[in-house]
Every structure is written in structure tokens, then in C-alpha cells.
Amino acid sequence: MNVPLSGPRLWDSLMEMARIGGTPKGGCNRQTLTDLDSEGRHLLRRWAEAAGCTMRVDRLGNMMLTRPGRDPSRKPVAFGSHLDTQPTGGKFDGPLGVLAGLEILRAVHEAGIETAAPLMLVNWTNEEGARFSPPMMGSGAAMGLFTEAEVLAKQDPDGKAFGAELARIGWQGEADPAALQDVEAYFELHIEQGALLERAGLDVGVVTHALGQTWYEVTVEGEEAHGGSPMAGRRDAMMAAAPLIAAVEEIALAAVSATGEPGRATVGRLTVYPDSRNICPSRIWFSIDTRHGDPAMLARMGEEIRARATAIAAARGVRIAVEEFWHAPLTPFDATLVGRVRDAAQRLGIPHMDMPTGIGHDAVYVARRVPAAMIFCPCHGGISHNEAESITPEWAEAGLRVLADAVLETAR
């Protein structure tokens, strides 16, 4: 199918969108449900309507921009990502997938092509979770993993409610979010947020599955002691937490699957009580994020963390509680759609490889209810969630062409 896709127009659109919330260091701060988010949404709407699309917005603010198809029995073929960013985010995390989808709609409109199935571009609300936690609320609620009520009641650090802010910026629609389950397929183009593709000299990643994830919260309880007191006999919570935190990395690296893949683990948050320079702490709380492509290995990592906690607690006379906070199962993407993405890259002569995603995306939630696939674009140094986030126009265009080929092959 001869579709006049324009890599330069995609790049220009990315740069224009990035001006909304642009930061002095060249990044973007366009957090969800802010006035800047609203401005970006309005720009997307104008662009999509100029390409012959109509818009619906659901009760959580998810935008659905649709170009009709010729077969009324066909469900839409959907594609998209998100426009919201981190406070110190980059230009491409999210917007690449949305604006590549827009470029497909523009090219189809210009060529006068009528696909059999409708084409639907989706801008999901609050993928990042930077302002309202957890992330991926729009897609998660649309797929039935959260309730609308709990999402609308979530508060930001200033105590402002999600629902109130959504109404304030004028983007609370009337459509049922569950309608987004009623699509034939969903595709998402996203930057890798890692450096595997760049190191391999490849232009596209064919994403086969999302790693399983289990998050834990750990509380270490000891006893306060003066910093000048003898160290013998102390029940210092920090000195018990420290070897357990170090063990998290050791356990992840040792959790090697049959394919040679190790685990991934992160301690990202830590609080200390009473948080005084000259008192050994009586309580430490920290988070652990574990991920693996082998569910058995993921479970084993949790077991080993608990075993190590038990041993350290006994040796140091403290109490350590390891509680599971959240779990996301390993999620495979649809084999047919993954094959279609792979075939598109091969047909177009674009260097590519199969790979998993270790990071949550809207497509991962969508894949639990709808056939879905993901495409990765390289990013320099794997840097993301950072104003220095960077890709090349050539990488963006390669991802666009693979996305368009897979989408239009499905929609025909």
C-alpha cells in the first residue's frame, strides 16, 4: 500500500508538541491533568480533526480519535501512547507513539485511502503516574484493572483529586472507558528506555512480552540508641537494612533463567526513623521492585529476599517484615501481531531484534484484554525520564514505518 508517510513531518510534530511544557534543559514538563496537558490535548485534537478524524473522550479523559472504515462489521484497529510526562521528562517518552499514530492518519487521509477497519488513535490519561499514582491509570481502568471510582478519587501531593482536576481542565468526557476493550487490535510505538538496540546497532525492537513484576515493602524495626553509646548490643535498624539492601542486587543477578537472563531489582525509596544524626535508627522502611522474564525465577527472588531478611533479623536482634505490595504477571503480546511487526521490519529492510520490555506501558495493560503488540525505538544511552532523553529522526521514522505497515496490514 503506497502511503505517503513523512518522517520530517513526524519530527516537526514532536518538536512542536515538546514546546508545550518545554524546560530550559531541553526536556518537557507536561504532567497529567495540568493546564499544559490540556494544551497538548487540544493541539492533538486539531491535528487529528484536520486529518479527517472524529474525537470521543471517556470519563477518565482517554482520547479516542477515529477515522472510519468501509466495513461496518469491523472493530477499530487502535494505536497510540501518552502525552503526559515526568516533571523532568524528555520529548519522546509517550509522544513518539501518539504522534507516529497521528502521522499514519495524516498519510492515509492525504492518500484518500479507506481501510476496511476504522483506525483509532488513543492518547491514554496518566501513563506516567508522576502526579497521580499509580501509573497507567487510564489504560488500567479501561481494561478493568482499576475501578473508575478509585481513579477519580486519587489525590496528588497537594491534595487535588484526579476527577476534580480532569473536570477543571475540561477533559472529562462521557464515553465508557471499557469501550476501549472493544477494538480488534492495539499497537504501541515507544522509545526503548534502555540501550540494547543502540548497542546492537539496530533500529527497531519487536517486543515479545513484558517481564513479570513484584514490588515489596520492607520494614526493619530495632531500637534507638545514642550515637555515642557502645556499639555492642545495639539493635540498629539501619545496620540490618544495609546488608538486606545489598543482597537485593546479589539475588537479582543470581536469578538466571534457562535462557541466561538475570533478574532485575531496585530499591528506590527509603525512610529512616527518627532521622537524627546522632541516633541509630529504630525503624527503616524501604521499597523493593523485582522483575524477571521467568515467573518461577521471579517467585524465587521473592523467596530469597524473605529468607535473607529472616537470617539478618535473627543475627541482629531486629524484626524485619517483607510485605508484597503489587504484582504484575508476565504478559505476552499477541503472537500474530508480534509476527506482523516482525514481518513489517523484515519487509522494509529495517534492522531489528526480538526483545522483552522490563518497563510498564499502556500496551501491557491493554494486552490483558485485547490483542496487542509493541515496537521499540532506540534512545541514546538508554536515557529516559530525563530532560536529556534523545533519539534521531531516522530512528523515529523507522519506528513509524514499521508501525504503519503493521497497522495497515491489520486494518485492511
Side-chain angles (χ1 to χ4, degrees), residues 42-64:
H42 280 294
L43 178 58
L44 176 63
R45 177 182 184 174
R46 290 196 300 272
W47 280 339
E49 288 180 343
C53 296
T54 57
M55 184 184 75
R56 286 187 303 149
V57 181
D58 69 23
R59 294 186 293 266
L60 298 176
N62 295 316
M63 297 173 65
M64 294 160 276

Side-chain angles (χ1 to χ4, degrees), residues 183-404:
V183 299
E184 184 175 313
Y186 176 75
F187 294 89
E188 183 168 337
L189 171 64
H190 204 281
I191 63 170
E192 180 192 344
Q193 298 178 289
L196 296 179
L197 290 172
E198 183 185 30
R199 289 172 187 160
L202 303 174
D203 293 340
V204 158
V206 179
V207 186
T208 55
H209 63 282
L211 302 183
Q213 300 183 43
T214 307
W215 293 5
Y216 301 93
E217 293 186 338
V218 180
T219 304
V220 184
E221 295 182 337
E223 184 177 69
E224 293 157 36
H226 194 289
S229 66
M231 297 186 71
R234 287 188 189 178
R235 297 173 56 236
D236 188 329
M238 180 66 81
M239 293 301 109
L244 182 55
I245 290 171
V248 168
E249 180 182 54
E250 174 191 328
I251 289 166
L253 293 174
V256 180
S257 69
T259 62
E261 177 189 12
R264 308 180 190 190
T266 304
V267 175
R269 297 187 63 198
L270 184 145
T271 60
V272 180
Y273 180 85
D275 195 19
S276 174
R277 290 176 184 267
N278 63 345
I279 299 177
C280 77
S282 60
R283 186 170 69 248
I284 302 293
W285 175 95
F286 60 94
S287 64
I288 304 177
D289 169 336
T290 61
R291 308 184 187 212
H292 209 295
D294 181 335
M297 280 294 180
L298 181 66
R300 178 177 165 183
M301 287 168 65
E303 292 166 2
E304 293 195 6
I305 288 169
R306 292 181 190 278
R308 194 69 64 92
T310 298
I312 291 170
R316 290 194 168 266
V318 300
R319 177 181 175 275
I320 304 180
V322 180
E323 303 291 341
E324 184 175 313
F325 174 72
W326 177 74
H327 175 73
L330 183 144
T331 304
F333 288 111
D334 182 82
T336 299
L337 299 185
V338 170
R340 198 160 289 159
V341 169
R342 190 184 297 114
D343 290 346
Q346 290 172 347
R347 186 162 45 246
L348 295 165
I350 294 173
H352 61 282
M353 72 177 186
D354 286 6
M355 61 190 303
T357 175
I359 298 170
H361 299 285
D362 292 308
V364 179
Y365 275 158
V366 175
R368 300 220 206 159
R369 299 286 186 270
V370 172
M374 282 199 78
I375 302 161
F376 273 168
C377 164
C379 59
H380 288 120
I383 295 170
S384 183
H385 285 196
N386 187 314
E387 292 161 286
E389 181 181 277
S390 173
I391 68 174
T392 69
E394 292 76 19
W395 287 342
E397 183 168 352
L400 163 65
R401 294 192 177 278
V402 171
L403 174 68

Side-chain angles (χ1 to χ4, degrees), residues 15-83:
M15 295 304 106
E16 187 168 349
M17 184 62 72
R19 284 196 284 270
I20 301 173
T23 64
K25 292 183 179 179
C28 204
N29 179 9
R30 192 174 53 246
Q31 295 180 64
T32 196
L33 308 189
T34 59
D35 292 342
L36 290 170
D37 182 22
S38 178
E39 187 179 345
R41 288 165 173 263
H42 280 294
L43 178 58
L44 176 63
R45 177 182 184 174
R46 290 196 300 272
W47 280 339
E49 288 180 343
C53 296
T54 57
M55 184 184 75
R56 286 187 303 149
V57 181
D58 69 23
R59 294 186 293 266
L60 298 176
N62 295 316
M63 297 173 65
M64 294 160 276
L65 300 148
T66 305
R67 180 177 175 82
R70 64 177 180 270
D71 183 348
S73 69
R74 292 282 298 272
K75 296 178 181 180
V77 173
F79 42 92
S81 194
H82 60 97
L83 290 178

